Amino acid sequence: DSGVTQTPKHLITATGQRVTLRCSPRSGDLSVYWYQQSLDQGLQFLIQYYNGEERAKGNILERFSAQQFPDLHSELNLSSLELGDSALYFCASSLGLAVSTGELFFGEGSRLTVL
Amino acid sequence: AQSVTQLGSHVSVSEGALVLLRCNYSSSVPPYLFWYVQYPNQGLQLLLKYTSAATLVKGINGFEAEFKKSETSFHLTKPSAHMSDAAEYFCAVSPSGNTGKLIFGQGTTLQVKP
């Protein structure tokens, strides 16, 4: 158990819909990361938040947005869903801002299926 | 731009045999390099990381990796495979280490045959 909690574990929805994925980081960790894992794209970095502020952005679509709340949990919002958004979405957390200062701990992921 | 290439999407070994998973990186600056393992229906777990200290890095579960700058490689090895090693393995790079972003390879699925 990494200490990172993601909900829901599985989600099935239809095209055009909107979903919210939730992540609770390990106790004490200030950074939260979102990654997308799909068969065709592999593991792709989406976005990083540190202590409530956006710190790095990757290949995140404009239809996707995220935020980190004062209690440090994070939510990833996916809207106008398309079939290609079906993937496993991982949340990770770390104590510091960078990998040089500590390890990333990954949750078990939220599997999104868009029909 | 930084990138990671894992040679071989599937590797099959017999129990007790040497495990060798290949990873080559591209980075314009001295990189931080990582190997992660993903067991079925689980998240990624860090096996080991290279942070410009020793070039031979020892990790958990008997795995180790050697950083070879001249070959831009960071191959993962284990002398003797166990059935429990069957999983997907990812190599990842972080340029300079001053970021939390990791760039992952496509992954290598390790099959261990009895």
Side-chain angles (χ1 to χ4, degrees), chain B residues 80-104:
Chain B
S80 177
H82 295 161
M83 297 297 293
S84 60
D85 294 327
E88 189 160 18
Y89 292 79
F90 293 91
C91 183
V93 64
S94 174
S96 80
N98 294 324
T99 172
K101 175 181 177 180
L102 293 177
I103 299 167
F104 285 90

Side-chain angles (χ1 to χ4, degrees), chain B residues 24-72:
Chain B
N24 288 89
Y25 70 91
S26 169
S27 178
S28 57
V29 297
Y32 282 62
L33 293 161
F34 306 81
W35 274 99
Y36 280 85
V37 61
Q38 184 180 23
Y39 297 103
N41 301 314
Q42 294 188 26
L44 282 76
Q45 180 182 7
L46 180 66
L47 278 176
L48 49 82
K49 67 178 180 181
Y50 167 76
T51 59
S52 76
T55 56
L56 183 62
V57 182
K58 293 188 183 299
I60 62 172
N61 301 338
F63 284 93
E64 63 181 35
E66 185 173 8
F67 174 71
K68 292 187 176 180
K69 183 178 179 180
S70 61
E71 298 177 7
T72 61

Side-chain angles (χ1 to χ4, degrees), chain A:
Chain A
D1 183 5
S2 67
V4 178
T5 303
Q6 291 188 245
T7 57
K9 291 191 184 304
H10 301 276
L11 189 56
I12 301 174
T13 188
T15 54
Q17 295 298 304
R18 172 189 170 94
V19 299
T20 297
L21 309 181
R22 181 188 170 97
C23 170
S24 294
R26 288 192 327 151
S27 178
D29 283 358
L30 299 177
S31 273
V32 169
Y33 312 79
W34 287 98
Y35 282 83
Q36 178 194 59
Q37 185 180 35
S38 62
L39 285 175
D40 54 346
Q41 297 290 326
L43 264 165
Q44 298 278 320
F45 169 76
L46 295 179
I47 199 164
Q48 176 194 4
Y49 280 83
Y50 178 79
N51 204 21
E53 294 187 4
E54 182 184 306
R55 295 308 300 254
K57 214 166 186 176
N59 301 323
I60 188 166
L61 299 172
E62 287 190 10
R63 299 183 286 107
F64 296 0
S65 65
Q67 59 185 126
Q68 186 180 28
F69 295 87
D71 66 353
L72 301 178
H73 90 272
S74 178
E75 292 182 356
L76 178 66
N77 300 295
L78 316 175
S79 61
S80 302
L81 286 167
E82 302 175 359
L83 296 178
D85 297 328
S86 296
L88 188 55
Y89 291 86
F90 283 111
C91 173
S93 73
S94 68
L95 177 62
L97 190 58
V99 295
S100 59
T101 58
E103 177 182 344
L104 268 65
F105 292 87
F106 283 79
E108 294 186 356
S110 292
R111 183 170 296 281
L112 172 66
T113 302
V114 182
L115 301 176

